Amino acid sequence: MQQREHVRCLIIGSGPAGYTAAIYAARANLQPVEYCGLITGGQLTQTTVVENFPGYPDGVDGNQMMMDLRAQAERLGTDIRDGEIVKADLGSRPFVLTTDRGVELEAETVIIATGASAKYLGLDDEKKYNGQGVSACATCDGFFYRKRTVAVVGGGDTACEEALYLAGLAKKVYMIVRKPFLRASDVMQKRVKENDKIEILFEHNAVGLFGDNGVEGVHLVKRLGENDEQRYDLPIDGFFLAIGHKPNSDIFREWLDTDETGYIITVNGTPCTKVPGVFAAGDVADPHYRQAITAAASGCKAAIEADRFLRGV
């Protein structure tokens, strides 16, 4: 029988939520063990400059910010490990979780901070221009496109919200919508259609991007596959994806309540899940804000709740 390692507080994920949970858990002497997951540092490592996180008056490189948080968590005593948790049994305590190397961990408490992955179209150019004009977060990156021209891909409420936010900054916003209608709620459709800065391109597909120094335009196809199909290039400075996020919660869904998309449902605005001793923090439980600062705050709360749980408070 394989020997199991016992852990008082296991933290899964290494974005702002995971690292902040680690900082607080370490200071509470919970001897936290943190597994970084597939992307060490989370989504912010794919961002160039972060300007909206308090404490960095001149902005900070996303990778550097995550390195700073990691160093702080390590200095305080967190055991940070590379690797991914691939299996979870939350049916009884101690919880049993398995890493991608087959190591089994017995955890008294678990903080899930696995984040959510933005959905992309699957274009090679999205990877090529990532951080150079391609973004999946208008609130994060819209500031860099003041008085410039941008495009938002999507036709739901999220896309409309992103377009409206960007319209407050950019000089022109195109919405690239593959269907002949918006899927958004009536009130969001009305707001978008009444905004003079927003132009909706119905029945359009983005099939590529171009530019020598970052994104300079998008290759579009109108009425793809139809007899009157039209192909043309549209000059833009920024390309924003707003076709949804997928929470990284699959291995926990047998045990925890989630919404239809997969976001973990927590109790009354706390990081507590329906399983005592299991907590969720950051984007994996947040379909609304998805910001580094809110993720960090929820990581703090999760660690405090884990400490209270272990002390029986």
Side-chain angles (χ1 to χ4, degrees):
M1 181 177 177
Q2 183 177 8
Q3 185 176 3
R4 292 177 174 177
E5 178 183 358
H6 189 80
V7 178
R8 290 194 74 202
C9 180
L10 176 64
I11 300 168
I12 308 171
S14 58
Y19 283 144
T20 303
I23 289 167
Y24 276 79
R27 293 185 75 250
N29 199 31
L30 302 188
Q31 294 97 46
V33 172
E34 180 176 15
Y35 274 82
C36 290
L38 283 176
I39 303 177
T40 300
Q43 291 186 76
L44 277 189
T45 60
Q46 301 174 35
T47 300
T48 48
V49 180
V50 178
E51 289 196 323
N52 55 2
F53 197 93
Y56 295 97
D58 298 320
V60 60
D61 176 81
N63 276 288
Q64 184 60 53
M65 180 179 162
M66 291 300 96
M67 289 169 61
D68 290 345
L69 288 177
R70 177 177 178 139
Q72 187 174 359
E74 285 182 315
R75 182 180 68 80
L76 292 167
T78 304
D79 181 353
I80 299 180
R81 305 174 182 178
D82 293 329
E84 185 182 7
I85 301 296
V86 296
K87 184 179 178 182
D89 182 350
L90 307 180
S92 60
R93 290 186 64 235
F95 310 113
V96 179
L97 299 102
T98 308
T99 74
D100 52 358
R101 296 179 182 176
V103 177
E104 289 189 339
L105 306 166
E106 288 186 344
E108 295 180 44
T109 57
V110 175
I111 296 175
I112 301 168
T114 46
S117 303
K119 294 180 181 178
Y120 287 81
L121 297 174
L123 306 175
D124 290 340
D125 289 337
E126 289 172 320
K127 296 177 182 178
K128 176 181 177 180
Y129 294 107
N130 190 28
Q132 301 180 67
V134 171
S135 172
C137 180
T139 309
C140 309
D141 300 323
F143 182 79
F144 302 110
Y145 298 91
R146 288 172 297 171
K147 299 182 180 179
R148 303 176 78 179
T149 300
V150 299
V152 175
V153 179
D157 279 334
T158 299
C160 289
E161 288 174 6
E162 301 275 88
L164 288 164
Y165 178 82
L166 290 166
L169 299 165
K171 68 177 181 181
K172 178 74 175 182
V173 180
Y174 293 100
M175 288 188 70
I176 301 172
V177 183
R178 63 185 179 87
K179 295 183 179 294
F181 55 86
L182 293 174
R183 295 180 292 104
S185 60
D186 290 344
V187 63
M188 292 303 294
Q189 291 192 43
K190 185 173 185 291
R191 289 174 184 170
V192 164
K193 291 174 180 177
E194 289 179 351
N195 193 302
D196 292 339
K197 286 189 177 181
I198 299 174
E199 181 178 344
I200 305 172
L201 305 176
F202 289 113
E203 297 184 274
H204 277 69
N205 282 269
V207 295
L209 300 165
F210 62 91
D212 295 325
N213 299 300
V215 170
E216 295 175 7
V218 55
H219 301 301
L220 292 175
V221 182
K222 183 178 181 180
R223 292 180 56 79
L224 180 65
E226 301 297 330
N227 292 332
D228 56 350
E229 174 183 295
Q230 299 176 34
R231 293 177 176 262
Y232 66 97
D233 292 343
L234 180 70
I236 58 170
D237 303 298
F239 186 75
F240 288 83
L241 281 304
I243 53 178
H245 287 73
K246 183 185 184 302
N248 302 317
S249 63
D250 287 353
I251 66 170
F252 310 109
R253 293 178 76 168
E254 177 182 352
W255 312 102
L256 305 178
D257 289 336
T258 63
D259 67 11
E260 64 277 4
T261 305
Y263 288 98
I264 295 173
I265 296 173
T266 55
V267 180
N268 297 328
T270 73
C272 303
T273 70
K274 76 171 187 179
V275 177
V278 177
F279 310 92
D283 287 10
V284 73
D286 178 11
H288 302 296
Y289 300 106
R290 297 194 297 269
Q291 298 299 300
I293 190 66
T294 51
S298 66
C300 160
K301 291 191 285 186
I304 290 173
E305 291 291 350
D307 178 48
R308 288 174 176 170
F309 177 83
L310 290 170
R311 289 189 291 115
V313 176

